[in-house]
Amino acid sequence: MADLPSAFFNDSSPGWTAAGGNSREMDVNLAYVASGFHQVWMMSATVFVFPIIPGLGLFYAGLCRRKSATTLLWQTLGVLGVISFQWFFWGYSLAYSSDADHYIGTLKNFGFRNVVAAPSGYLPEPLFALYQCMFALCTVMIMIGGAFERCRLLPSMVFAFCWCTIVYSPIVCWTWNANGWLYLLPALDFAGGGPVHISSGTGALAYALIIGKRIETNSPSRKVPKFVPHNPTLIFLGTWMIWFGWFGFNGGSTLNASVRTSYVLVNTNLAAGCGVIGWSLVDYILYRGRFSLVGACQGCIAALVGITPAAGYVPVYFAAVIGFLTAVGVRLCENLNEWIRVDEGMEVFKLHGIGGMIGAILTGLFAADWVSMLDGASDYSGWVDHHYIQLGYQLAEICAIVSYTFGVTVVLLLIIDHIPGLKFRVPEHQEIEGLDKHLLFEEGMGDYELFETLRAAGYINAGGSVLGDGLGGGVEITEAAPSGSSQEQEKEVTSDKAPTGSTSNDKVVSGAV
């Protein structure tokens, strides 16, 4: 491994400043010449992570119903804008400032002040800060899925900014800042099982709980019905982008280009593949010989979540076990929303929250010191090396992040919801007709013009529903009356089943809008 840049210039060097050197007086690049290959890899890893964010948007848009799918795509860009600014404004400083205490950073790097050329390991600090920004973006985008199909966009973005400030940044400080209390235990979290997945899953659960169930789920029996994803193609494309991005997400978390980095990439890919196998096998058994494309995609993501805290600590054969067990464990929580009676239809808590917890626990069990030593500097171990207390540290991380995230998120949501103009829930008629129609300007997913045509013709009621959208109303498909039927029978069928202005010979298209 090349010498650290700090060995070439530091606070005792001529021309040194808090930003890493005065570029008018010295060539700040000289310190990075010997370790330039680390920078090249980390620049690539940063770019690799980026597709996860639009991939999540496509994944979510495919899972929800068509009438609110485009709104989720807008939220992807909204999060990119708001959180990129938040990270520059004070998010990075609150998470990674060098003078942080055990719980949160200071405003030392407010507005990226002095984030210019100083080294952070092998990297110039701006590159490190940008790479970590990708993690903040992913985390908030995951969490936003908790209130899909019923939340206004402006309050959602305000909440995203505040949540990243008072939930995500402190948890990152605990876990990855050298002064953080979880870092000092240490709780092993290689690439974000706690700060990214457990926090976003728990935040999404709190979001769904406070916003309330969708109108269609407010049944007397309090059951939470399941809606079929409207576009498996979008889910498949989103999953492909997420799997691709995870090579940068996990592989870049070494913050260098070492043998350990290569090993992390192998662990990541193998775990994801075994996750597809595990989830699909359960589907094959439960669906009596049939598979599910959406299920295979969810298995991939569950496994990627599970391997995230472990990728740089566990041998490759345990990576396969982690991917398989996480996918199967999450799959067996299929009815979680019904058990806890929360309408969290995107299943963010199940995939990311529970998946992250499983991964954190398995990291404590399977971490082997020789894997972390592949970078030439680290030394971490778990139960396989008879370091039994590590499991306790992992449980401490889980309990701390879940309790802090849930409690603070609930309070934050209640405060924002009572600010004039920032009420989260859309009016009832907007929720029924779809967020795309009311929150976006003449945009929608798929057959928007067909929807408007059918509504104008009376085939869709004022609530925007047809048979199959879960409202219990709408119309049924009717065929021409069979020959020999009486006029009275035709009138009865028409009055019971056809919309105003239709005849018994009309065929009405049905399906969720």
Side-chain angles (χ1 to χ4, degrees):
M1 298 287 286
D3 290 333
L4 290 170
S6 57
F8 291 87
F9 72 106
N10 48 52
D11 55 5
S12 63
S13 304
W16 173 264
T17 66
N22 188 337
S23 59
R24 294 190 180 97
E25 299 178 6
M26 62 186 297
D27 184 357
V28 297
N29 295 283
L30 294 177
Y32 297 100
V33 171
S35 59
F37 60 95
H38 295 301
Q39 289 188 64
V40 173
W41 162 241
M42 289 306 301
M43 290 176 185
S44 302
T46 302
V47 175
F48 291 163
V49 175
F50 189 83
I52 293 178
I53 302 150
L56 285 167
L58 292 173
F59 184 83
Y60 283 171
L63 278 176
C64 78
R65 288 176 291 176
R66 182 174 57 195
K67 62 183 181 180
S68 299
T70 311
T71 304
L72 282 166
L73 295 182
W74 185 95
Q75 284 187 301
T76 303
L77 287 175
V79 167
L80 278 168
V82 170
I83 302 305
S84 292
F85 174 76
Q86 187 273 350
W87 198 245
F88 151 81
F89 188 69
W90 58 21
Y92 173 74
S93 187
L94 293 174
Y96 287 106
S97 62
S98 58
D99 57 350
D101 60 25
H102 295 324
Y103 304 101
I104 194 168
T106 66
L107 295 180
K108 175 182 178 180
N109 301 119
F110 176 81
F112 269 33
R113 184 163 57 95
N114 294 325
V115 180
V116 181
S120 179
Y122 290 100
L123 312 176
E125 193 172 8
L127 177 56
F128 173 78
L130 179 60
Y131 180 70
Q132 296 301 331
C133 180
M134 297 297 108
F135 281 61
L137 290 165
C138 291
T139 304
V140 176
M141 186 59 214
I142 293 169
M143 185 272 301
I144 284 293
F148 77 114
E149 294 192 356
R150 57 204 188 274
C151 186
R152 293 172 59 223
L153 294 178
L154 177 59
S156 180
M157 293 299 103
V158 173
F159 171 62
F161 183 95
C162 296
W163 190 88
C164 194
T165 299
I166 66 175
V167 176
Y168 178 74
S169 290
I171 293 176
V172 168
C173 182
W174 302 353
T175 310
W176 289 326
N177 193 303
N179 299 323
W181 71 275
L182 286 175
Y183 182 91
L184 295 173
L185 274 178
L188 301 184
D189 197 327
F190 182 71
V196 176
H197 298 294
I198 296 177
S199 70
S200 64
T202 305
L205 180 64
Y207 207 176
L209 177 65
I210 297 302
I211 299 302
K213 296 178 182 179
R214 286 168 290 177
I215 292 173
E216 295 91 335
T217 64
N218 288 328
S219 62
S221 62
R222 296 180 61 83
K223 291 183 178 180
V224 181
K226 297 176 182 177
F227 297 99
V228 177
H230 97 275
N231 196 326
T233 302
L234 290 182
I235 297 173
F236 174 79
L237 290 175
T239 302
W240 183 90
M241 295 171 71
I242 292 168
W243 191 337
F244 173 83
W246 228 278
F247 287 111
F249 194 92
N250 282 357
S253 293
T254 54
L255 302 179
N256 56 46
S258 61
V259 174
R260 189 185 186 194
T261 304
S262 300
Y263 205 84
V264 168
L265 295 175
V266 173
N267 279 350
T268 299
N269 189 67
L270 179 61
C274 290
V276 173
I277 294 172
W279 193 295
S280 297
L281 283 177
V282 177
D283 280 348
Y284 189 80
I285 294 170
L286 296 181
Y287 298 150
R288 299 180 181 180
R290 293 185 294 172
F291 293 107
S292 165
L293 172 62
V294 175
C297 291
Q298 290 178 313
C300 166
I301 292 176
L304 288 171
V305 170
I307 196 60
T308 292
Y313 301 119
V314 301
V316 64
Y317 38 86
F318 284 135
V321 173
I322 290 173
F324 185 88
L325 290 181
T326 304
V328 171
V330 172
R331 176 62 179 83
L332 294 177
C333 296
E334 179 69 17
N335 298 319
L336 180 64
N337 284 337
E338 295 180 8
W339 300 341
I340 61 178
R341 295 182 177 180
V342 174
D343 183 18
E344 206 270 281
M346 288 293 183
E347 300 184 327
V348 180
F349 179 68
K350 186 178 80 172
L351 282 173
H352 297 271
I354 294 178
M357 295 177 202
I358 295 174
I361 292 171
L362 295 180
T363 300
L365 295 178
F366 299 142
D369 57 1
W370 67 266
V371 177
S372 61
M373 289 178 178
L374 290 174
D375 66 4
S378 305
D379 184 2
Y380 299 101
S381 58
W383 274 39
V384 295
D385 290 332
H386 310 293
H387 186 223
Y388 300 116
I389 197 173
Q390 189 59 54
L391 184 59
Y393 295 156
Q394 300 303 107
L395 292 173
E397 177 194 26
I398 294 171
C399 293
I401 292 177
V402 169
S403 57
Y404 178 80
T405 300
F406 189 84
V408 175
T409 302
V410 166
V411 172
L412 181 61
L413 285 165
L414 292 175
I415 292 174
I416 294 177
D417 194 52
H418 285 84
I419 297 175
L422 294 182
K423 187 172 181 60
F424 286 104
R425 195 73 182 245
V426 297
E428 182 175 317
H429 74 282
Q430 294 185 11
E431 182 178 340
I432 293 174
E433 295 181 13
L435 303 191
D436 291 356
K437 177 178 175 57
H438 294 278
L439 302 187
L440 301 178
F441 182 71
E442 296 183 348
E443 294 173 333
M445 180 73 68
D447 303 324
Y448 181 77
E449 292 185 4
L450 175 62
F451 170 83
E452 289 299 322
T453 300
L454 291 174
R455 192 165 71 92
Y459 289 103
I460 296 177
N461 63 23
S465 62
V466 213
L467 178 67
D469 71 346
L471 292 177
V475 295
E476 297 181 4
I477 298 176
T478 58
E479 301 288 348
S483 62
S485 62
S486 65
Q487 289 184 346
E488 289 77 18
Q489 289 175 321
E490 287 188 16
K491 290 180 180 179
E492 190 173 324
V493 169
T494 302
S495 62
D496 287 344
K497 297 186 177 182
T500 304
S502 66
T503 69
S504 60
N505 292 326
D506 292 331
K507 294 184 180 181
V508 181
V509 179
S510 67
V513 177

